[in-house]
Amino acid sequence: MRLSEKAAIVTGAASGIGRAIALRFAREGACVVVADRNDTRGADTVLAIRNAGGKALYAHADVTNENDVAAMTRVCLDAYGRIDVLVNNAAICEGSDVLDIEPSVWDLNVQVVLKSVYLCSRTVLPIMVGQKSGSIVNIASVNGLTALGNAAYSAAKAGVINLTQNMACAYGPDGIRVNAIAPGTVATEIWEPRLRENPRVLDRIAEWYPLKRVGKPDDIANAALFLASDEASFATGATFVIDGGLTAGMRKWVEDAGADER
Ligand SMILES: NC(=O)c1ccc[n+]([C@@H]2O[C@H](COP(=O)([O-])OP(=O)(O)OC[C@H]3O[C@@H](n4cnc5c(N)ncnc54)[C@H](O)[C@@H]3O)[C@@H](O)[C@H]2O)c1
């Protein structure tokens, strides 16, 4: 098992990618703290882990709230005595264009997407420094790499990528690795508002992907498992793009340019 004897905190683990990461980590032997603000669904993730024979506890945490983050950290330390892995996964995605986004919505995106990574990391890092080991995995997005709309969310995700690099350089000497994952589209509940507007939106955007499909939560959980585990012992400050090829190039441009006959 790739995470045996390890204790991991996964934020936003009540749903989607976070839930898949929590389940995957537990299958690989980790003791998992499932952290979320949705208590009912968080408890459901814990139950699913236990039913599969794994170890998990729930911690109520709004990741923008310093006291909640401190309490989440204590849950892990009190139960498991250490924190080996922190996955900063919780996020929201609100607003579209700069002219449409109200300042309060801008602030909310930055708080939940970016400030939470700072808050959770600054609470957990001293423990990892004391252990002289640890792995932080930040779930960023392809939106942090290029212009794909949702301006506030995307700018905050770009910030997550830079924060990942800064923390990797600062805490590498303490034996701590910090990496990011930039997923492309993954079919989760974050897409529900747009699915309500257009039930075929995921089928339509699948056409933009060289692999001709959108991602599954397990596609990202597998990458998170690698980065969390000792198999990634020389990886730090990296952004692992798991996007079905979306940002690898622009096929339509190639076709319009007549640069390739395929
Ligand atoms: N689904 C995609 O297409 C996609 C693409 C790229 C990146 N991502 C990123 O993947 C991560 C997971 O997204 P998902 O698609 O699984 O979304 P999701 O909506 O299914 O899950 C998000 C979880 O975060 C929790 N959450 C939201 N705000 C919180 C807060 N303030 N405190 C604590 N918990 C909070 C929610 O309750 C939910 O359980 C996010 O960082 C998201 O930006 C998703």
Side-chain angles (χ1 to χ4, degrees):
M1 289 213 269
R2 292 152 78 185
L3 293 180
S4 59
E5 314 285 311
K6 306 248 188 203
I9 299 174
V10 183
T11 71
S15 172
I17 292 169
R19 179 180 162 97
I21 292 172
L23 284 158
R24 188 83 176 91
F25 280 14
R27 276 212 311 278
E28 293 293 336
C31 302
V32 182
V33 172
V34 170
D36 208 287
R37 63 180 179 183
N38 186 329
D39 298 341
T40 311
R41 301 203 44 201
D44 188 69
T45 301
V46 170
L47 194 65
I49 289 173
R50 290 185 182 157
N51 285 344
K55 290 197 188 110
L57 286 172
Y58 180 66
H60 170 86
D62 177 336
V63 288
T64 65
N65 180 308
E66 233 179 305
N67 292 332
D68 282 6
V69 169
M72 165 190 94
T73 306
R74 274 198 306 276
V75 167
C76 191
L77 275 180
D78 289 352
Y80 306 129
R82 50 189 298 115
I83 305 176
D84 299 290
V85 182
L86 167 67
V87 182
N88 286 309
N89 166 80
I92 53 155
C93 177
E94 304 220 345
S96 52
D97 172 67
V98 165
L99 292 183
D100 296 325
I101 300 171
E102 293 298 327
S104 61
V105 176
W106 179 275
D107 288 346
L108 184 66
N109 277 280
V110 174
Q111 291 251 333
V112 182
V113 173
L114 177 56
K115 189 181 175 190
S116 67
V117 177
Y118 147 78
L119 271 184
C120 294
S121 301
R122 87 189 289 267
T123 309
V124 167
L125 272 167
I127 293 140
M128 291 182 166
V129 168
Q131 294 168 177
K132 285 274 167 214
S133 72
S135 171
I136 298 179
V137 180
N138 297 323
I139 307 302
S141 171
V142 288
N143 285 55
L145 298 171
T146 189
L148 291 164
N150 301 113
Y153 169 83
S154 301
K157 287 295 190 185
V160 170
I161 290 169
N162 186 271
L163 182 57
T164 300
Q165 293 168 323
N166 267 292
M167 292 194 296
C169 291
Y171 293 98
D174 295 294
I176 297 157
R177 296 181 299 101
V178 188
N179 293 286
I181 297 174
T185 303
V186 180
T188 68
E189 287 177 23
I190 215 167
W191 280 87
E192 269 190 359
R194 269 177 278 178
L195 279 166
R196 272 196 299 276
E197 276 174 29
N198 175 7
R200 286 192 33 80
V201 63
L202 292 180
D203 299 330
R204 271 182 63 182
I205 58 177
E207 287 304 309
W208 283 85
Y209 284 79
L211 293 181
K212 296 293 171 198
R213 70 170 177 91
V214 300
K216 298 179 289 231
D218 274 339
D219 293 325
I220 310 308
N222 289 334
L225 172 62
F226 169 68
L227 291 174
S229 78
D230 294 340
E231 288 169 18
S233 61
F234 200 49
T236 199
T239 297
F240 196 172
V241 180
I242 308 287
D243 72 346
L246 181 70
T247 57
M250 292 185 287
R251 188 68 207 169
K252 188 161 163 33
W253 185 92
V254 172
E255 284 160 12
D256 285 353
D260 187 335
E261 290 305 309
R262 186 165 193 279

